[in-house]
Amino acid sequence: INGTLRQTMRPHVWYFAVADCGESKLLSATRIRYEFMAWQEDGTEFSVEQDTVLLMHLAEVVLLAAFSFFYITLCKKYMESAESLHATIWALSIAGAVLFLGKIFGTIHWTYYNSDGEGVKALDVIADICILLSQVTLASLLITVAHGYTLLPGKNEDLDIIVLMVFMIGVIHVLLAGFGKITDDAAHKWHEYEGPVGWVIIACRLAL
């Protein structure tokens, strides 16, 4: 069954129903495969709530690039006097680089999505994984500093345990991001981290 609808007056939420008009009766457990393609009046694939998503990603990439240039400049000046960077600065740098990489992948995905309505699924997954890993790294770094890592020498003995715990939580986040993308298009989901995936992520953050 193929069909086309056109409407240009205002944004709409479309509902479609399937009825069995013949003698056979559809079973309650009948599965129906369908593909819905929609374009805005200007030809873009974005829905109304996603209208500015590509622009926001581009703005984030530009701002992060400018901040990265400023940040690298400061790190170079610091290394000229101290000859090396502290481990916390390296951890912060890695978190920032992973976040920047995730935003770039996300921008590429949304750029393709704007033209074909599908994007690059692999880049979308990698972008989410990078953003989650960056958040975990930053949260762990703040918690470690709050526990006196940079002030109390005795706290360095527990660093191996902290690193192992952060690594395990990071792996869990990667698996959750992948699982969340598998069910990303489910009709019952309002956002990608709805349901068990979101609850597990909250539990992991609280466990930190």
Side-chain angles (χ1 to χ4, degrees):
I1 300 175
N2 296 312
T4 302
L5 291 173
R6 180 179 176 84
Q7 188 281 136
T8 58
M9 295 297 294
R10 61 184 183 277
H12 273 64
V13 176
W14 295 98
Y15 294 92
F16 296 90
V18 178
D20 183 10
C21 301
E23 297 180 357
S24 61
K25 300 297 182 181
L26 286 175
L27 300 177
S28 58
T30 300
R31 291 180 177 271
I32 299 175
R33 295 179 62 88
Y34 67 93
E35 181 179 9
F36 177 77
M37 302 179 66
W39 294 271
Q40 299 292 355
E41 186 63 19
D42 58 358
T44 62
E45 295 273 356
F46 290 122
S47 58
V48 173
E49 65 272 13
Q50 294 177 329
D51 187 41
T52 59
V53 66
L54 180 57
L55 179 62
M56 294 301 298
H57 273 75
L58 289 172
E60 288 176 338
V61 169
V62 172
L63 290 175
L64 283 173
F67 173 79
S68 298
F69 177 79
F70 179 71
Y71 178 79
I72 292 173
T73 302
L74 292 179
C75 287
K76 287 181 177 180
K77 289 183 179 179
Y78 180 82
M79 288 184 65
E80 291 176 357
S81 58
E83 297 183 355
S84 63
L85 294 176
H86 194 273
T88 54
I89 299 180
W90 278 112
L92 181 62
S93 302
I94 293 173
V98 172
L99 176 63
F100 190 25
L101 192 63
K103 291 299 181 180
I104 291 175
F105 287 149
T107 302
I108 297 173
H109 161 70
W110 288 113
T111 301
Y112 279 96
Y113 186 96
N114 186 41
S115 59
D116 61 12
E118 296 181 1
V120 184
K121 196 67 174 180
L123 291 181
D124 189 27
V125 174
I126 295 174
D128 278 4
I129 290 175
C130 288
I131 293 172
L132 285 175
L133 289 178
S134 177
Q135 292 174 355
V136 171
T137 303
L138 289 174
S140 304
L141 179 62
L142 290 174
I143 293 172
T144 304
V145 172
H147 277 75
Y149 163 65
T150 57
L151 300 175
L152 304 176
K155 293 293 183 178
N156 297 345
E157 300 176 357
D158 301 330
L159 187 60
D160 292 340
I161 299 176
I162 294 175
V163 170
L164 178 61
M165 182 182 68
V166 172
F167 175 77
M168 294 177 60
I169 293 178
V171 171
I172 293 174
H173 275 71
V174 170
L175 296 176
L176 290 173
F179 180 77
K181 286 299 180 182
I182 293 176
T183 59
D184 198 23
D185 293 331
H188 64 276
K189 292 181 64 175
W190 291 96
H191 57 85
E192 56 186 338
Y193 296 124
E194 181 178 355
V197 173
W199 287 111
V200 174
I201 289 178
I202 292 176
C204 290
R205 300 295 175 87
L206 293 176
L208 288 174

PDB file of all heavy atoms in Angstrom, residues 65-79:
ATOM      1  N   ALA A  65      35.897  24.406  19.045  1.00  0.00           N
ATOM      2  CA  ALA A  65      37.155  24.598  18.334  1.00  0.00           C
ATOM      3  C   ALA A  65      37.879  25.846  18.847  1.00  0.00           C
ATOM      4  O   ALA A  65      39.104  25.820  19.069  1.00  0.00           O
ATOM      5  CB  ALA A  65      36.893  24.707  16.833  1.00  0.00           C
ATOM      6  N   ALA A  66      37.133  26.931  19.048  1.00  0.00           N
ATOM      7  CA  ALA A  66      37.737  28.160  19.568  1.00  0.00           C
ATOM      8  C   ALA A  66      38.256  27.948  20.986  1.00  0.00           C
ATOM      9  O   ALA A  66      39.373  28.384  21.328  1.00  0.00           O
ATOM     10  CB  ALA A  66      36.709  29.298  19.537  1.00  0.00           C
ATOM     11  N   PHE A  67      37.453  27.268  21.810  1.00  0.00           N
ATOM     12  CA  PHE A  67      37.895  26.997  23.188  1.00  0.00           C
ATOM     13  C   PHE A  67      39.118  26.088  23.200  1.00  0.00           C
ATOM     14  O   PHE A  67      40.042  26.285  24.011  1.00  0.00           O
ATOM     15  CB  PHE A  67      36.759  26.350  23.974  1.00  0.00           C
ATOM     16  CG  PHE A  67      37.173  25.889  25.347  1.00  0.00           C
ATOM     17  CD1 PHE A  67      37.282  26.801  26.383  1.00  0.00           C
ATOM     18  CD2 PHE A  67      37.464  24.557  25.596  1.00  0.00           C
ATOM     19  CE1 PHE A  67      37.675  26.393  27.649  1.00  0.00           C
ATOM     20  CE2 PHE A  67      37.856  24.147  26.850  1.00  0.00           C
ATOM     21  CZ  PHE A  67      37.968  25.064  27.885  1.00  0.00           C
ATOM     22  N   SER A  68      39.158  25.083  22.316  1.00  0.00           N
ATOM     23  CA  SER A  68      40.297  24.159  22.257  1.00  0.00           C
ATOM     24  C   SER A  68      41.576  24.899  21.903  1.00  0.00           C
ATOM     25  O   SER A  68      42.642  24.636  22.475  1.00  0.00           O
ATOM     26  CB  SER A  68      40.029  23.050  21.244  1.00  0.00           C
ATOM     27  OG  SER A  68      38.897  22.282  21.622  1.00  0.00           O
ATOM     28  N   PHE A  69      41.493  25.831  20.957  1.00  0.00           N
ATOM     29  CA  PHE A  69      42.668  26.626  20.578  1.00  0.00           C
ATOM     30  C   PHE A  69      43.175  27.433  21.773  1.00  0.00           C
ATOM     31  O   PHE A  69      44.379  27.461  22.060  1.00  0.00           O
ATOM     32  CB  PHE A  69      42.308  27.548  19.417  1.00  0.00           C
ATOM     33  CG  PHE A  69      43.429  28.464  19.006  1.00  0.00           C
ATOM     34  CD1 PHE A  69      44.459  27.996  18.211  1.00  0.00           C
ATOM     35  CD2 PHE A  69      43.438  29.792  19.419  1.00  0.00           C
ATOM     36  CE1 PHE A  69      45.514  28.845  17.842  1.00  0.00           C
ATOM     37  CE2 PHE A  69      44.469  30.636  19.053  1.00  0.00           C
ATOM     38  CZ  PHE A  69      45.506  30.158  18.263  1.00  0.00           C
ATOM     39  N   PHE A  70      42.252  28.072  22.494  1.00  0.00           N
ATOM     40  CA  PHE A  70      42.619  28.856  23.676  1.00  0.00           C
ATOM     41  C   PHE A  70      43.189  27.953  24.760  1.00  0.00           C
ATOM     42  O   PHE A  70      44.198  28.283  25.409  1.00  0.00           O
ATOM     43  CB  PHE A  70      41.394  29.612  24.187  1.00  0.00           C
ATOM     44  CG  PHE A  70      41.638  30.438  25.408  1.00  0.00           C
ATOM     45  CD1 PHE A  70      42.401  31.603  25.339  1.00  0.00           C
ATOM     46  CD2 PHE A  70      41.116  30.052  26.626  1.00  0.00           C
ATOM     47  CE1 PHE A  70      42.638  32.364  26.468  1.00  0.00           C
ATOM     48  CE2 PHE A  70      41.346  30.814  27.765  1.00  0.00           C
ATOM     49  CZ  PHE A  70      42.101  31.967  27.689  1.00  0.00           C
ATOM     50  N   TYR A  71      42.584  26.786  24.954  1.00  0.00           N
ATOM     51  CA  TYR A  71      43.011  25.849  25.997  1.00  0.00           C
ATOM     52  C   TYR A  71      44.407  25.296  25.697  1.00  0.00           C
ATOM     53  O   TYR A  71      45.271  25.215  26.591  1.00  0.00           O
ATOM     54  CB  TYR A  71      41.994  24.711  26.091  1.00  0.00           C
ATOM     55  CG  TYR A  71      42.336  23.643  27.096  1.00  0.00           C
ATOM     56  CD1 TYR A  71      42.106  23.844  28.453  1.00  0.00           C
ATOM     57  CD2 TYR A  71      42.880  22.430  26.697  1.00  0.00           C
ATOM     58  CE1 TYR A  71      42.411  22.863  29.382  1.00  0.00           C
ATOM     59  CE2 TYR A  71      43.193  21.443  27.612  1.00  0.00           C
ATOM     60  CZ  TYR A  71      42.954  21.666  28.950  1.00  0.00           C
ATOM     61  OH  TYR A  71      43.259  20.689  29.865  1.00  0.00           O
ATOM     62  N   ILE A  72      44.662  24.910  24.445  1.00  0.00           N
ATOM     63  CA  ILE A  72      45.979  24.383  24.061  1.00  0.00           C
ATOM     64  C   ILE A  72      47.055  25.448  24.224  1.00  0.00           C
ATOM     65  O   ILE A  72      48.177  25.162  24.667  1.00  0.00           O
ATOM     66  CB  ILE A  72      45.934  23.859  22.608  1.00  0.00           C
ATOM     67  CG1 ILE A  72      45.037  22.622  22.525  1.00  0.00           C
ATOM     68  CG2 ILE A  72      47.331  23.521  22.113  1.00  0.00           C
ATOM     69  CD1 ILE A  72      44.790  22.137  21.111  1.00  0.00           C
ATOM     70  N   THR A  73      46.715  26.686  23.909  1.00  0.00           N
ATOM     71  CA  THR A  73      47.664  27.787  24.085  1.00  0.00           C
ATOM     72  C   THR A  73      48.066  27.939  25.551  1.00  0.00           C
ATOM     73  O   THR A  73      49.249  28.103  25.880  1.00  0.00           O
ATOM     74  CB  THR A  73      47.066  29.100  23.566  1.00  0.00           C
ATOM     75  OG1 THR A  73      46.705  28.951  22.182  1.00  0.00           O
ATOM     76  CG2 THR A  73      48.062  30.238  23.708  1.00  0.00           C
ATOM     77  N   LEU A  74      47.084  27.880  26.457  1.00  0.00           N
ATOM     78  CA  LEU A  74      47.378  27.978  27.887  1.00  0.00           C
ATOM     79  C   LEU A  74      48.216  26.800  28.374  1.00  0.00           C
ATOM     80  O   LEU A  74      49.124  26.972  29.201  1.00  0.00           O
ATOM     81  CB  LEU A  74      46.072  28.062  28.678  1.00  0.00           C
ATOM     82  CG  LEU A  74      45.240  29.340  28.516  1.00  0.00           C
ATOM     83  CD1 LEU A  74      43.969  29.256  29.350  1.00  0.00           C
ATOM     84  CD2 LEU A  74      46.059  30.565  28.923  1.00  0.00           C
ATOM     85  N   CYS A  75      47.902  25.598  27.859  1.00  0.00           N
ATOM     86  CA  CYS A  75      48.676  24.419  28.269  1.00  0.00           C
ATOM     87  C   CYS A  75      50.133  24.527  27.824  1.00  0.00           C
ATOM     88  O   CYS A  75      51.057  24.156  28.562  1.00  0.00           O
ATOM     89  CB  CYS A  75      48.049  23.156  27.689  1.00  0.00           C
ATOM     90  SG  CYS A  75      46.496  22.671  28.477  1.00  0.00           S
ATOM     91  N   LYS A  76      50.368  25.057  26.632  1.00  0.00           N
ATOM     92  CA  LYS A  76      51.737  25.236  26.143  1.00  0.00           C
ATOM     93  C   LYS A  76      52.498  26.231  27.017  1.00  0.00           C
ATOM     94  O   LYS A  76      53.667  26.023  27.358  1.00  0.00           O
ATOM     95  CB  LYS A  76      51.717  25.704  24.697  1.00  0.00           C
ATOM     96  CG  LYS A  76      51.329  24.621  23.701  1.00  0.00           C
ATOM     97  CD  LYS A  76      51.368  25.159  22.272  1.00  0.00           C
ATOM     98  CE  LYS A  76      51.047  24.065  21.265  1.00  0.00           C
ATOM     99  NZ  LYS A  76      51.072  24.573  19.864  1.00  0.00           N
ATOM    100  N   LYS A  77      51.831  27.323  27.403  1.00  0.00           N
ATOM    101  CA  LYS A  77      52.472  28.310  28.270  1.00  0.00           C
ATOM    102  C   LYS A  77      52.798  27.697  29.635  1.00  0.00           C
ATOM    103  O   LYS A  77      53.857  27.970  30.215  1.00  0.00           O
ATOM    104  CB  LYS A  77      51.565  29.525  28.437  1.00  0.00           C
ATOM    105  CG  LYS A  77      51.436  30.383  27.187  1.00  0.00           C
ATOM    106  CD  LYS A  77      50.573  31.603  27.454  1.00  0.00           C
ATOM    107  CE  LYS A  77      50.471  32.475  26.211  1.00  0.00           C
ATOM    108  NZ  LYS A  77      49.608  33.670  26.448  1.00  0.00           N
ATOM    109  N   TYR A  78      51.896  26.883  30.141  1.00  0.00           N
ATOM    110  CA  TYR A  78      52.127  26.244  31.438  1.00  0.00           C
ATOM    111  C   TYR A  78      53.298  25.268  31.369  1.00  0.00           C
ATOM    112  O   TYR A  78      54.113  25.177  32.292  1.00  0.00           O
ATOM    113  CB  TYR A  78      50.857  25.524  31.889  1.00  0.00           C
ATOM    114  CG  TYR A  78      50.998  24.835  33.226  1.00  0.00           C
ATOM    115  CD1 TYR A  78      50.862  25.552  34.412  1.00  0.00           C
ATOM    116  CD2 TYR A  78      51.274  23.473  33.307  1.00  0.00           C
ATOM    117  CE1 TYR A  78      50.991  24.932  35.643  1.00  0.00           C
ATOM    118  CE2 TYR A  78      51.408  22.848  34.532  1.00  0.00           C
ATOM    119  CZ  TYR A  78      51.270  23.579  35.696  1.00  0.00           C
ATOM    120  OH  TYR A  78      51.405  22.957  36.909  1.00  0.00           O
ATOM    121  N   MET A  79      53.399  24.517  30.254  1.00  0.00           N
ATOM    122  CA  MET A  79      54.481  23.550  30.109  1.00  0.00           C
ATOM    123  C   MET A  79      55.842  24.234  29.980  1.00  0.00           C
ATOM    124  O   MET A  79      56.877  23.657  30.335  1.00  0.00           O
ATOM    125  CB  MET A  79      54.223  22.666  28.887  1.00  0.00           C
ATOM    126  CG  MET A  79      53.088  21.676  29.069  1.00  0.00           C
ATOM    127  SD  MET A  79      52.898  20.570  27.649  1.00  0.00           S
ATOM    128  CE  MET A  79      54.455  19.657  27.731  1.00  0.00           C
TER     129      MET A  79
END
